[in-house]
Amino acid sequence: MFHAQGTAKHTCCMLAVLCRTNYKDVPQEGFPFPDITSSGRLEVQTLISPTTDEFRKAVDSVQPNIIYFQGDRLINDEVGSLVWEGAQDLPGLFGSSLPTTVYLEIPDGEEVAEALHLKGIPYVIYWKNSFSCYAACHFRHALFSVVQSSSSHTWDAFQLAHSSFRLYCVRNNLVLPNNSEKDDSTLGPCLLGDPPKINVPPAEAGGEDDEEKYPEDLPAIKIYDDDVNVRFLVCGSACTLDASLLEPLEDGLNALLSIEMRGSKLHNRVSALPPPLQAGTFSRGVVTMRCDISTCSSAYISLLVSGSAQTCFDDQLLENHIKSEVIDKTQLVQAVSNSDENKLSVCEPRESASIACGATVFEVSMKVPLWASQVLRQLAPDVSYRSLVALGVASVQGLAVASFEKDDATRLLFFCKKVDNNIHDRMTNPPIPAWMRQPLPSRKRQIINSETSRNNGMESGNNGYAMVRQKTKIAALRPIPHIRHQKMLPFVGISETNGHDFGGQVKTHVSSMPSNKHNSAGSAPVAHRKSLSSSYQAKHLVSLNPLPLKKHGCDRSPIHVCSEEEFLKDVMQFLILRGHNRLIPQGGLAEFPDAILNAKRLDLYNLYREVVSRGGFHVGNGINWKGQVFSKMRNHTVTNRMTGVGNTLKRHYETYLLEYELAHDDVDGECCLLCRSAAGDWVNCGVCGEWAHFGCDRRQGLGAFKDYAKTDGLEYICPQCSISNFKKKLPKTSNGYS
């Protein structure tokens, strides 16, 4: 269905075969049934009660990855069988063109699913028993949300959707309508097919005389990362934090991370020092690498990996071993048990207008690796990523999930009504929430309050401290405290020609590079720097963007040959796609942008070209915005007397172009002409235009970095250009006389 080997632009085509009866024609009872339409990566073609010939022609012409068969809706809100011509013999409808996945949304579909699987269809999703239209809608919407969000495999997408089904339908006993007495734990969708395997070839046996042979009893690789507690806000009402809630959420988050890592790509690897506490236990032949990886949905992480030299110096082999170690051999997400009380606790419902569109949510803590928390935090603000919404996750460590919509909250809360009533019936004396309880007395509090009571004439209580009324803290409006994350560094470089080509083997140059970054003005120069070979800059493309966004996927020409009209059209389309419609004037391209600078319309085209040619907005004050950028724009005039034009240009760039820059690869990859590294306090030579670190230039009398970083600051001249200018100024001599 949706194989991880596809590129980010690759779409998944689905043929939806529906019955004549539509869910819109039936009263919905407060449950908004979502439309089956194209969105994100998912392209939908619809057939309504087709004939046999119409179905076969559609399959041959569309060549779908998924075929979805929707049963008829019955009067009792159950899903019935297919009622169109040829539906009685589904295997006979297929010819030589077969999809990757077939989803049968009909009751008692096990026999039909086995027949389709024997026909040659790799994966078939089916239901063993009868089920309600609400349960079917929830599972279907979760499955399609995963498909439209990322290039996932059928197995992983089913596991995530099935976890969401267990979390909301099975846990609330709403698989069957009319409060059926059947056990819902044995019901639900099933998947017929084999789990995907990661091809990891066995290590070749080395010679017997190899002194640094990798020990056979050690794993192929080992990933070093700390576990951190991440707090999730899940959409729902008051409920008990028991296994029926925590286990599906664990499985769903594990499936989500498996999707991201199965489609991940190794971009760069450099030699690194081993962990300090474990360096002494390393055997001979073990090497350590720092690996820069992008996940399936363009989240960026860095992993510290150790293994044999044969594995770590082969990019494709190392990438496969990392995937195998993360997906097949690790339980990534584990629920954090309540250490305060042994008994099960009832979660405290919260509400906030910025979380889940104002719906009630409850908090769940999970223990995940540090890299997994970074992935989740990068995916939460993505408005096109819907997999977190499928699990009901509305917030990740204080970051609201941007793709959460009002209809999503309504659907999820629909399943929580029954369990909500049962819990409130049992809670005759509901406990006081933790955030409203008065703190226990301590010796320090006793002394302070005793002194306060004496000074203010107050009488202390029996316990020796004055009772001071505590202000009520509204937990829903207070952000969850952030844990201390390790700072993510930008990638050192990408050596492959195509970042999404998963088929070929990539060889990456490995070198040790400085990791200290000096971006602030006035930072102290680094004492010792190692110079690399002059060929390093030619072999490496250094990305200066700290956190690239999901790529725009446009067909615009490269920025150095792109016309202004083509550029402005692409910027407008990007802003509309990102939801910034307020920046688009009613007159369209003729009036875009509507910002005025120096009595002229803002020249976005030249502003963007000049900034990306100097390293991008990330360089900051390393760019002379007034002298180098403004002078190349149409807004500049010879008699210009504007003050603060540098800050104005920065503000306009942040408004219109910063997200656009991060979603495109237009920034020139520059290296310092002195130390050949990428991070540092950047200054630009006014003669040759090359970039250098101010701290790398050891000449006397240069002043401070802030003298060059300010808008009307000094012009920097690199050592090479200074020598060239000095030679030009030397007077010519003839026969030894001037």
Side-chain angles (χ1 to χ4, degrees), residues 45 68 578 648:
Q45 301 290 334
Y68 162 61
R578 296 289 296 177
T648 304

Side-chain angles (χ1 to χ4, degrees), residues 9-36:
K9 298 181 182 180
H10 176 69
T11 57
C12 178
C13 182
M14 184 183 75
L15 179 63
V17 185
L18 312 179
C19 294
R20 186 73 60 182
T21 304
N22 197 324
Y23 287 164
K24 292 182 179 180
D25 302 331
V26 184
Q28 300 180 5
E29 300 179 1
F31 186 86
F33 288 93
D35 296 331
I36 304 176

Side-chain angles (χ1 to χ4, degrees), residues 410-658:
T410 304
R411 277 190 294 269
L412 297 177
L413 293 179
F414 174 84
F415 295 99
C416 301
K417 293 179 180 178
K418 182 176 180 180
V419 67
D420 189 19
N421 296 332
N422 293 338
I423 285 183
H424 284 293
D425 292 340
R426 295 195 306 264
M427 292 174 59
T428 56
N429 295 319
I432 300 176
W435 51 273
M436 291 186 63
R437 298 172 189 168
Q438 187 173 2
L440 295 176
S442 63
R443 180 172 299 179
K444 182 177 180 181
R445 176 179 292 273
Q446 180 177 354
I447 296 174
I448 294 176
N449 285 288
S450 298
E451 293 177 356
T452 305
S453 63
R454 288 196 302 268
N455 295 334
N456 297 335
M458 297 176 58
E459 294 183 359
S460 60
N462 296 330
N463 51 9
Y465 68 99
M467 299 296 293
V468 181
R469 185 175 180 181
Q470 185 182 10
K471 293 184 179 180
T472 303
K473 297 181 292 182
I474 304 177
L477 302 180
R478 182 185 61 189
I480 300 175
H482 290 265
I483 59 175
R484 187 176 298 276
H485 291 292
Q486 294 180 0
K487 190 173 183 181
M488 293 184 61
L489 298 179
F491 286 175
V492 176
I494 302 175
S495 60
E496 64 271 10
T497 57
N498 188 352
H500 297 286
D501 186 8
F502 285 74
Q505 183 172 343
V506 184
K507 296 293 183 182
T508 308
H509 180 74
V510 180
S511 58
S512 177
M513 295 190 61
S515 60
N516 294 331
K517 192 173 184 179
H518 307 277
N519 285 332
S520 59
S523 59
V526 180
H528 299 284
R529 297 182 182 271
K530 295 184 179 180
S531 299
L532 302 179
S533 61
S534 61
S535 62
Y536 180 82
Q537 184 176 2
K539 292 183 179 180
H540 285 265
L541 176 63
V542 180
S543 175
L544 296 181
N545 287 341
L547 185 60
L549 296 178
K550 196 170 185 178
K551 297 305 178 184
H552 182 199
C554 61
D555 297 328
R556 193 210 67 197
S557 304
I559 189 61
H560 61 279
V561 296
C562 177
S563 64
E564 183 174 3
E565 182 179 1
E566 181 184 4
F567 170 77
L568 292 178
K569 286 182 179 179
D570 192 59
V571 172
M572 285 181 56
Q573 294 176 358
F574 177 81
L575 293 176
I576 294 174
L577 181 64
R578 296 289 296 177
H580 303 308
N581 296 325
R582 60 181 179 82
L583 300 177
I584 308 301
Q586 295 181 355
L589 184 62
E591 300 179 2
F592 178 77
D594 55 2
I596 303 299
L597 180 64
N598 201 13
K600 296 180 181 179
R601 191 177 305 278
L602 181 63
D603 185 7
L604 285 182
Y605 177 64
N606 288 310
L607 173 62
Y608 183 75
R609 287 180 49 138
E610 293 301 322
V611 172
V612 297
S613 67
R614 289 170 169 80
F617 189 81
H618 175 58
V619 176
N621 289 333
I623 300 176
N624 190 335
W625 291 81
K626 182 178 181 180
Q628 297 175 330
V629 178
F630 185 58
S631 60
K632 305 294 177 56
M633 298 171 58
R634 289 195 299 269
N635 304 93
H636 179 263
T637 57
V638 179
T639 59
N640 168 62
R641 297 185 179 277
M642 288 187 61
T643 58
V645 65
N647 293 329
T648 304
L649 290 178
K650 288 182 186 179
R651 186 171 64 253
H652 285 314
Y653 195 92
E654 286 183 290
T655 303
Y656 289 96
L657 300 173
L658 180 56

Side-chain angles (χ1 to χ4, degrees), residues 707-725:
D707 298 330
Y708 299 85
K710 56 186 179 182
T711 303
D712 54 349
L714 302 176
E715 183 182 27
Y716 175 78
I717 306 297
C718 70
Q720 289 84 345
C721 295
S722 299
I723 296 175
S724 301
N725 293 341

Side-chain angles (χ1 to χ4, degrees), residues 694-735:
F694 187 77
C696 297
D697 197 336
R698 307 300 180 81
R699 291 177 294 171
Q700 299 293 330
L702 289 180
F705 175 63
K706 62 181 180 180
D707 298 330
Y708 299 85
K710 56 186 179 182
T711 303
D712 54 349
L714 302 176
E715 183 182 27
Y716 175 78
I717 306 297
C718 70
Q720 289 84 345
C721 295
S722 299
I723 296 175
S724 301
N725 293 341
F726 178 76
K727 291 181 179 180
K728 291 180 181 179
K729 295 179 181 179
L730 288 177
K732 296 182 180 180
T733 60
S734 177
N735 297 327

